[in-house]
Amino acid sequence: MASPRPGSNMSAIAAALGVSAATVSNALSGKGRVSPELIERVRAKASELGYVPSLTARALRTGRTGVLGLVLPDIANPLFPQIAQAIENAASNAGYGVLIADSRGDIAAQTEAIGRLLERGVDGMVIVPRRGTRIADVGCPVAVIDTPSTPGNTVSADHWEGGAQMGRHLAALGHTKVLLIGTSVSSNVQNDRVGGLKAGLGPDAECETMWIEKVEAVSGEGCPLGLADKASAGFTAFAAVSDLSALRALTELQRAGIGVPEMVSVTGFDDLIWSPVVTPALTTVRMDMATIADLAIAALMRAIESEGEENEVLAGKVTSETDRVPMQLVVRQSTGAANLHAKSDVRTPHKPTAGELKS
């Protein structure tokens, strides 16, 4: 006998299992008193029959759309598609779909993105805020993924402790003069990572922080960061707070003839997909995005389920079982023992004179 076509309804599942349609409905929605064994059988049969739930019927029955919103600050950054995938997977496991909006790093665009998702009737949102912004009450439950020091943060990686792990790693290799490289001074995440790096390196280390946006404000976007000069000044490690900045540093140093890790070490953050395959492979700190996403979605589900009860859920105030998830230090080939003689080995790139430029 041919199997029912995709879209078979609950009655077909109920008939196949010899239970009521109400029992099937409760098993699929997680409501009512249904044994775990029967829930598993119902879900297996639903999958076998190609059952696709009607979101319209669900919305009429529950007052919910079964859709969550996800607002990201810059989907062109390779980190954020990884976050989106983790959130979508966690939401799917909870029976929800996800609509994604990109704020493109702009505060006005972030506000507009939130408004668009509200217009589409999302039941709740996960927001990775544009750096330096706080999410106010937007009219639905919101889980914020930023950093534990951010007011209203729901859950995130423990960025400060991740920085401390990297700092301790560099200190153990003998690095006492370290350049910390960030992109934006207004980023809570990057400031936490910088603070952790300083703590991990210890009070005797000489640290200097370079903010790329400040350098580019003077010299133009994509300009050299002057890292060869820093190496000449005795810096033996360049600790970036993102893998993108680490790759920029690694490329600039190698073009200047400065070997990594023979002469200086370079480190990053986030363990992006290409970090293991660059040369040398990048030492970095990895986020456990699957756990962060699971905790954020679980917190959002509790908030959505409790709406309408005595304790009103305020947007931006969704809380998780824990607000921080440990990061993992990943040691690869871009770090090595401090070369205390590197200063004398470094040759500052030749700058042509006016006469040479004319010839």
Side-chain angles (χ1 to χ4, degrees):
M1 184 176 74
S3 298
R5 293 172 298 176
S8 297
N9 60 25
M10 289 187 189
S11 298
I13 300 170
L17 295 176
V19 298
S20 69
T23 298
V24 171
S25 176
N26 287 336
L28 293 174
S29 65
K31 298 184 182 298
R33 296 181 179 179
V34 183
S35 69
E37 293 78 14
L38 183 53
I39 289 174
E40 185 175 341
R41 287 175 58 207
V42 168
R43 289 180 175 174
K45 182 58 68 174
S47 177
E48 176 188 331
L49 298 180
Y51 171 72
V52 178
S54 167
L55 293 181
T56 301
R58 177 179 180 176
L60 289 172
R61 184 177 68 254
T62 66
R64 301 181 188 131
T65 61
V67 177
L68 303 176
L70 172 61
V71 181
L72 297 171
D74 180 10
I75 203 141
N77 184 315
L79 171 65
F80 295 116
Q82 293 182 14
I83 293 177
Q85 185 178 53
I87 293 294
E88 196 281 332
N89 185 62
S92 178
N93 289 339
Y96 274 74
V98 178
L99 292 176
I100 300 176
D102 182 7
S103 70
R104 303 184 297 280
D106 181 77
I107 295 175
Q110 178 175 274
T111 302
E112 182 182 344
I114 291 170
R116 287 199 308 273
L117 291 172
L118 286 172
E119 289 173 358
R120 284 159 175 77
V122 296
D123 295 329
M125 290 188 209
V126 178
I127 300 179
V128 182
R130 185 254 188 205
R131 58 178 179 263
T133 60
R134 293 178 61 177
I135 306 302
D137 186 342
V138 301
C140 74
V142 172
V144 176
I145 299 178
D146 196 31
T147 189
S149 65
T150 298
N153 181 71
T154 301
V155 61
S156 66
D158 192 341
H159 299 286
W160 194 95
E161 177 55 28
Q165 288 184 53
M166 184 63 80
R168 290 192 291 268
H169 170 64
L170 291 173
L173 291 172
H175 295 281
T176 57
K177 191 168 183 178
V178 180
L179 183 70
L180 312 179
I181 305 174
T183 303
S184 173
V185 72
S186 65
S187 168
N188 294 334
V189 168
Q190 292 187 29
N191 276 292
D192 281 0
R193 291 176 174 183
V194 166
L197 277 160
K198 290 178 178 178
L201 284 163
D204 297 330
E206 180 182 345
C207 297
E208 179 182 321
T209 305
M210 171 187 289
W211 295 105
I212 292 176
E213 66 178 7
K214 292 185 176 181
V215 177
E216 292 186 334
V218 174
S219 303
E221 186 175 354
C223 66
L225 300 176
L227 302 186
D229 291 338
K230 295 295 184 182
S232 294
F235 286 91
T236 61
F238 296 80
V241 295
S242 74
D243 284 357
L244 287 173
S245 295
L247 179 61
R248 182 170 176 176
L250 180 64
T251 302
E252 182 172 322
L253 289 163
Q254 289 176 329
R255 285 176 177 171
I258 300 171
V260 178
E262 299 81 13
M263 298 171 69
V264 299
S265 292
V266 175
T267 67
F269 253 90
D270 297 327
D271 195 23
L272 297 181
I273 190 169
W274 44 260
S275 298
V277 297
V278 296
T279 303
L282 188 62
T283 293
T284 186
V285 186
R286 177 187 299 154
M287 286 193 288
D288 183 356
M289 268 316 304
T291 298
I292 293 169
D294 286 343
L295 288 168
I297 294 299
L300 206 51
M301 292 300 99
R302 288 194 297 271
I304 291 170
E305 294 293 334
S306 67
E307 277 194 307
E309 297 180 1
E310 290 184 7
N311 296 323
E312 182 182 359
V313 176
L314 299 177
K317 300 297 182 182
V318 172
T319 56
S320 173
E321 299 169 1
T322 176
D323 68 344
R324 64 199 69 199
V325 174
M327 301 189 81
Q328 179 187 358
L329 175 67
V330 182
V331 178
R332 297 194 179 105
Q333 288 76 49
S334 67
T335 49
N339 181 354
L340 301 181
H341 304 290
K343 179 178 178 180
S344 60
D345 296 337
V346 172
R347 298 291 182 266
T348 301
H350 174 67
K351 297 179 181 179
T353 64
E356 289 173 328
L357 289 172
K358 292 177 181 178
S359 62

